Amino acid sequence: EELAALWAACRPLNGPGCAAVAGDWLREVRGLDPEALADLDLVRVLPDVYPWPRWLPLVGLDRGAWLALYRLAAPMYDAAGELRALRFRAVDRVRELDPDADPPRLRWRVLPVARKALAPRGARLAGLVLADPWGLALLRGAREVDGVPWDGAVLVAEGEIDLCAATSSAGRFRGGATFAALAVVAGSWTPAIAARIPDGARVTVATDADAAGDGYAEAVRASLAGRCNVRRMARPETWGINAER
């Protein structure tokens, strides 16, 4: 209930104030479309004022400094599509007025970040995934969202930013076809998650090309072997540039 209440209190990504700062970072630094992400409701911005729960992962920062850095919240779901955690994502640079410039201009200021993303204190992420609307529908046993059907494809990305890249790029890279997107973190892929993927699905794994990403990809492949068509691709932001491997 505390998770659901905090998620409901978060603001849409295309709003003013801190939402605009986060949207600016996503657009200019990460190459994503804040309007598309707001429509998909993949991530939201934390409220300025809230009766904050004890499990907020402050990592040694005072609350104001923490909120200025970890502005984004992304929901994580279990195999049945129930909200079980939030991932808090750092916005690691902001634009500010350059006091030495004449005429005045904006510049990027890089913020020190110990960890890019944090989970609630005491939370276990095993068995939890991030999901776009069609991915969430699959977890809940449905095959459409607002009358728009799933097209039989699943994309497994790594983390909230790659999930955003994959889903907001759906029209550009898949001709508008509606695949379901899930994102894994911290060994979260489990047999229970795999069981929600229907037989015959076309599954693309687009995790990082490092040891962790390779481990996620192998876990997905092994769990779906024999009943789904699984292939590996590069991360979503590299699609269209020698993507398949």
Side-chain angles (χ1 to χ4, degrees), residues 134-220:
W134 287 272
L136 185 57
L138 281 191
L139 295 177
R140 293 173 175 172
R143 298 291 183 270
E144 64 177 42
V145 174
D146 296 332
V148 180
W150 173 55
D151 78 344
V154 177
L155 185 134
V156 180
E158 184 176 341
E160 54 286 306
I161 298 300
D162 280 0
L163 176 72
C164 290
T167 305
S168 64
S169 300
R172 189 163 70 229
F173 291 111
R174 293 186 55 82
T178 307
F179 61 83
L182 302 171
V184 292
V185 297
S188 60
W189 191 268
T190 62
I193 297 291
R196 312 303 288 184
I197 308 300
D199 291 353
R202 306 182 308 278
V203 180
T204 299
V205 184
T207 52
D208 291 354
D210 57 19
D214 290 342
Y216 296 148
E218 176 55 25
V220 173

Side-chain angles (χ1 to χ4, degrees), residues 58-133:
L58 296 177
V59 290
L61 300 173
D62 65 66
R63 191 167 296 161
W66 189 90
L67 289 169
L69 185 59
Y70 292 94
R71 301 170 186 262
L72 293 175
M76 300 192 70
Y77 301 96
D78 64 16
E82 294 292 331
L83 178 65
R84 297 298 184 192
L86 295 174
R87 280 253 295 184
F88 304 106
R89 176 77 190 207
V91 174
D92 61 8
R93 63 187 71 184
V94 296
R95 285 207 247 206
E96 61 180 17
L97 192 65
D98 184 348
D100 300 322
D102 185 19
R105 65 173 181 266
L106 293 174
R107 67 179 180 184
W108 285 105
R109 179 165 65 94
V110 178
L111 304 176
V113 176
R115 293 173 59 186
K116 293 185 295 184
L118 299 169
R121 287 192 298 173
R124 294 184 68 250
L125 300 185
L128 303 182
V129 292
L130 300 146
D132 80 334

